[in-house]
């Protein structure tokens, strides 16, 4: 389980990443489901995450996304020249999603406003862990 969390780049509590859903990642998520919350964010949530908590990974350094030149230097060869292009690529899971998601440092989020309901139980059972679908947007809003 620890190794899977490392593969998903979730090394600390309250970290967040964007992951492309396919057969293998769904199986990874099933293994770590009791320890994470995941779902399908809407465009507004993706935009808020990137603008408020977005940091770029450049030469293994964590740099804030302050202007478009940083995005253009690193991702220009993939046709991504500004932060809005990056947001669009992440939201639509475009052809360069892997490079775009890897360019973003894992988001360091705060604990949710109002706290967790029940950390140890599944979302379906009234807890917080596991698949939330589109209801992840409420959680994202509370941790920003």
């Amino acid at each position: 389980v620890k190794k899977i969390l490392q593969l998903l780049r979730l090394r600390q509590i309250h970290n967040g990443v964007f992951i492309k859903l396919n057969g293998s990642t769904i199986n990874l998520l099933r293994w770590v489901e009791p320890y994470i919350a995941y779902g399908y964010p809407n465009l507004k949530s993706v935009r808020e995450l990137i603008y408020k908590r977005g940091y770029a990974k450049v030469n293994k350094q964590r740099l804030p996304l302050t202007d478009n030149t940083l995005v253009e230097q690193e991702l220009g060869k993939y046709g991504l020249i500004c932060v809005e292009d990056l947001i669009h690529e992440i939201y639509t899971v475009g052809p360069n999603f892997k490079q775009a998601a890897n360019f973003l440092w894992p988001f360091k989020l705060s604990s949710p406003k109002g706290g967790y309901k029940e950390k140890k139980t599944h979302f379906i059972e009234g807890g917080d862990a596991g698949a939330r679908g589109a209801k992840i947007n409420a959680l994202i809003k509370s941790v920003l």
Side-chain angles (χ1 to χ4, degrees):
V1 174
K2 198 178 208 178
K3 185 68 179 169
I4 294 171
L5 287 170
Q6 287 174 356
L7 280 171
L8 296 174
R9 299 191 307 155
L10 298 171
R11 297 170 193 272
Q12 292 178 315
I13 191 168
H14 302 306
N15 268 13
V17 290
F18 291 114
I19 295 173
K20 188 179 199 171
L21 272 187
N22 55 34
S24 59
T25 55
I26 288 171
N27 287 333
L28 290 177
L29 288 174
R30 280 199 194 120
W31 274 94
V32 294
E33 202 165 26
Y35 310 103
I36 61 171
Y38 63 96
Y40 310 106
N42 60 19
L43 183 60
K44 182 179 180 240
S45 296
V46 172
R47 183 174 280 126
E48 282 180 356
L49 270 172
I50 291 176
Y51 277 124
K52 287 184 180 178
R53 300 288 175 111
Y55 283 84
K57 187 179 1 175
V58 181
N59 298 329
K60 298 183 181 175
Q61 291 183 323
R62 182 175 185 251
L63 301 173
L65 285 173
T66 49
D67 58 349
N68 293 329
T69 54
L70 196 62
V71 178
E72 191 172 3
Q73 285 171 355
E74 294 298 311
L75 299 173
K77 57 184 171 265
Y78 303 111
L80 305 173
I81 55 169
C82 63
V83 179
E84 279 300 320
D85 285 347
L86 181 68
I87 291 167
H88 181 265
E89 190 72 21
I90 295 285
Y91 180 69
T92 59
V93 191
N96 300 314
F97 175 85
K98 184 180 176 190
Q99 289 84 5
N102 201 34
F103 168 74
L104 289 170
W105 198 274
F107 299 102
K108 292 178 184 287
L109 305 166
S110 54
S111 54
K113 267 193 186 123
Y116 291 110
K117 283 183 242 153
E118 267 190 67
K119 258 194 334 193
K120 290 184 172 68
T121 55
H122 198 281
F123 183 68
I124 295 168
E125 298 164 345
D128 283 305
R132 294 171 164 253
K135 293 184 179 166
I136 193 75
N137 298 309
L139 181 69
I140 291 172
K141 192 175 176 186
S142 72
V143 296
L144 281 178

